[in-house]
Amino acid sequence: MKPKFLILFSILLLSVFFSQAQQKNYQNEAGFQTDNDSYLAQGSDRYYTNGLFLYFRHALQTDTGKAKLFGKTLGFEAGQKMFNPQSAFIPAARYVDRPFAGYLYLGSSLQYLFKNESVLKLGVQVGVTGPAALGRQAQELVHKLLGFYAPEGWQYQIRNNLGVNLAADYGHLLFRYNWFDLTGNTYANLGTTFTGAGAGLMLRFGEFNPLYHSISTSGLVAKNRLVKEVHRRELFFYLKPTLNYAAYDATVQGGLFDTHSDPAEITGKVLPFVFSQEIGGSLTAGRWVFNLAAIFRTREVKTMVLVHQWGTATFLYRFN
């Protein structure tokens, strides 16, 4: 996978440098994100092993004169996450060090972008875990298409549960000097699938725009036809260390109100504190938005025998 990943990154670089720079802005943005541990060419197929997400964002409001608010964005998304133990081939229950689970959801969010470069995002998701999330079918299809081994062990997966989850994210610029800046980020989740919180930093290096009009905050859509930008193109690298606190995770512990009466279901216990580090690069030019990153996380479940990492790629297109 590594050569393919490098070729893809090279194509994205060329598309940015040879595309026509435009100051015109767009009211809508649509695209997708794909996550997979195989993108890092580690030969792993474990834990958070695959994710696929579809996005649509629409600018509701932009510069309001002397008001503190710069813009407001309405977003919609649909996604699926797949989790399995240390391998997707588990011949016996004793090898399940992280439960098999799928999570399928629909979500919406409202984001406020302020002129002082603070950002507030409020969101809600409705989804399902268990067989209804189609994690088993999706993994079997991917493995078949790519010629991988047949997964084994999904009979132990988390049972069906409906989830409703609320989320709030807040970020604020702490420091900037020329080609470098530092942002503080916090988040909180409350729901029947995920409950927890976290805090971290984002360090950007390169050519980037203010947080109220940057790929870093999904703030590139704007109602006005023109927005004064520091850079017509964004091209930067970033580090994003985060300390996460997990109070509840249904993909590990099963449904919040589930009695776990099914003897085939194998659940686990979450570790309360997890450290993650995201290292990536972002590119924008004209209508196009790209992001490539690698995420490294400490163990999330007490029985996990290994730490984990995966790659992520995001492709977006802006339009009116």
Side-chain angles (χ1 to χ4, degrees):
M1 290 297 298
K2 189 173 182 179
K4 294 180 181 179
F5 199 67
L6 292 175
I7 292 171
L8 176 61
F9 185 68
S10 300
I11 292 173
L12 298 185
L13 280 173
L14 290 173
S15 68
V16 168
F17 285 117
F18 288 99
S19 61
Q20 181 181 2
Q22 300 182 43
Q23 196 176 9
K24 179 179 178 180
N25 288 281
Y26 301 93
Q27 298 180 23
N28 304 297
E29 181 179 72
F32 70 94
Q33 175 183 323
T34 172
D35 300 346
N36 199 287
D37 50 356
S38 68
Y39 292 161
L40 300 183
Q42 299 289 315
S44 64
D45 190 13
R46 60 177 180 260
Y47 307 143
Y48 174 48
T49 185
N50 190 75
L52 180 62
F53 313 92
L54 303 176
Y55 299 115
F56 174 78
R57 302 183 183 101
H58 175 71
L60 297 178
Q61 178 183 351
T62 54
D63 199 338
T64 53
K66 297 182 180 180
K68 296 180 179 179
L69 183 67
F70 177 85
K72 188 163 55 175
T73 304
L74 177 65
F76 299 95
E77 64 183 275
Q80 184 195 50
K81 294 183 177 183
M82 288 186 291
F83 304 88
N84 53 240
Q86 55 193 296
S87 171
F89 184 83
I90 298 297
R94 65 179 181 273
Y95 297 111
V96 179
D97 63 332
R98 197 257 190 247
F100 282 93
Y103 176 55
L104 184 67
Y105 73 92
L106 294 173
S108 182
S109 63
L110 187 61
Q111 181 169 253
Y112 298 87
L113 302 152
F114 297 93
K115 294 179 181 179
N116 67 352
E117 296 197 59
S118 60
V119 181
L120 175 64
K121 183 178 180 180
L122 305 174
V124 59
Q125 291 182 0
V126 177
V128 292
T129 55
L134 305 177
R136 179 177 191 167
Q137 292 87 336
Q139 188 171 64
E140 289 176 344
L141 176 61
V142 170
H143 278 223
K144 183 177 180 180
L145 292 175
L146 298 179
F148 293 166
Y149 62 91
E152 178 62 43
W154 277 92
Q155 65 270 26
Y156 305 123
Q157 72 175 301
I158 298 297
R159 298 300 96 188
N160 282 331
N161 290 281
L162 178 66
V164 179
N165 305 282
L166 305 176
D169 299 78
Y170 178 77
H172 184 74
L173 179 69
L174 301 177
F175 172 81
R176 175 175 294 137
Y177 180 77
N178 293 333
W179 52 269
F180 164 78
D181 70 4
L182 178 65
T183 301
N185 297 299
T186 59
Y187 76 88
N189 298 322
L190 177 64
T192 58
T193 309
F194 305 107
T195 296
L201 300 170
M202 178 175 63
L203 299 85
R204 300 192 295 178
F205 309 86
E207 294 187 346
F208 45 76
N209 283 318
L211 295 178
Y212 52 74
H213 193 66
S214 174
I215 183 178
S216 298
T217 56
S218 302
L220 287 174
V221 291
K223 200 76 172 182
N224 290 351
R225 303 301 291 178
L226 293 176
V227 173
K228 186 176 181 180
E229 300 172 317
V230 177
H231 301 286
R232 292 189 176 183
R233 296 188 182 99
E234 287 188 295
L235 172 57
F236 62 88
F237 297 92
Y238 66 89
L239 301 174
K240 196 172 182 181
T242 305
L243 181 63
N244 308 276
Y245 171 72
Y248 183 77
D249 185 339
T251 69
V252 176
Q253 298 167 271
L256 185 61
F257 306 107
D258 193 349
T259 60
H260 307 300
S261 58
D262 189 336
E265 180 185 30
I266 296 178
T267 60
K269 294 183 179 179
V270 296
L271 288 169
F273 292 100
V274 176
F275 178 75
S276 65
Q277 173 67 277
E278 181 175 346
I279 303 172
S282 297
L283 311 169
T284 68
R287 296 174 180 263
W288 296 97
V289 180
F290 310 105
N291 183 77
L292 298 175
I295 295 94
F296 304 86
R297 290 177 73 93
T298 59
R299 294 187 305 132
E300 301 172 312
V301 182
K302 292 183 178 180
T303 52
M304 283 172 58
V305 298
L306 298 166
V307 295
H308 190 41
Q309 59 280 320
W310 66 91
T312 179
T314 303
F315 307 87
L316 301 168
Y317 180 77
R318 294 181 287 171
F319 60 95
N320 285 320

